[in-house]
Amino acid sequence: ELQNVRNALKQVNAQGVDVARDIVKAVRIGFKAESAPGAGNGNLGTIKVEVKSEDVRATIMKTKSNLKSHPDPVFKNLVIQNLKSREEMKAENFNYDILKMATNSNEFYIAGNGHI
């Protein structure tokens, strides 16, 4: 998986990113094979990628739009998203639950900068 991810992210052409050095780990989760050949009910799942630093992640996220003009339809349809760690998701859910209890409503949210 690691080599596949490196090959795909090389196509992003993120300036200053060396995929061999900066892509540390790749793990596929949620894969489900087809029940029968041609059934079309398989799922490739998601690949979680660990990068060397936050700067590398930000650079890739800023330049991922380069793939929209790629001649290969596989790369053109590739989805690259930020993924929070399990601990970050737990903390965010906890914060939303506390906010909901404190305000007694769902009308408030926590912005990306931490403001309510």
Side-chain angles (χ1 to χ4, degrees):
E1 296 297 338
L2 184 58
Q3 193 57 43
N4 290 336
V5 168
R6 285 179 174 162
N7 290 338
L9 290 178
K10 185 180 270 188
Q11 300 298 317
V12 173
N13 293 325
Q15 195 171 25
V17 175
D18 176 14
V19 293
R21 177 194 67 212
D22 296 331
I23 307 302
V24 178
K25 181 179 173 183
V27 178
R28 183 179 295 273
I29 57 170
F31 173 79
K32 179 184 162 209
E34 290 183 332
S35 58
N41 61 352
N43 181 3
L44 291 176
T46 301
I47 298 178
K48 290 187 176 184
V49 178
E50 182 180 333
V51 293
K52 187 176 180 180
S53 70
E54 184 65 23
D55 293 335
V56 170
R57 184 204 59 78
T59 303
I60 291 171
M61 296 307 291
K62 288 177 185 174
T63 56
K64 68 181 181 181
S65 62
N66 292 348
L67 292 179
K68 294 200 184 305
S69 61
H70 198 280
D72 187 344
V74 171
F75 290 113
K76 192 179 281 191
N77 296 324
L78 186 68
V79 177
I80 300 175
Q81 295 178 329
N82 283 320
L83 185 64
K84 296 176 183 167
S85 69
R86 181 178 292 273
E87 292 78 25
E88 288 173 319
M89 288 189 283
K90 281 182 181 180
E92 187 174 282
N93 289 339
F94 174 76
N95 291 338
Y96 280 122
D97 288 344
I98 294 295
L99 180 63
K100 191 186 301 182
M101 288 188 319
T103 62
N104 202 21
S105 74
N106 289 328
E107 296 178 13
F108 297 94
Y109 68 95
I110 302 172
N113 61 6
H115 292 260
I116 296 177

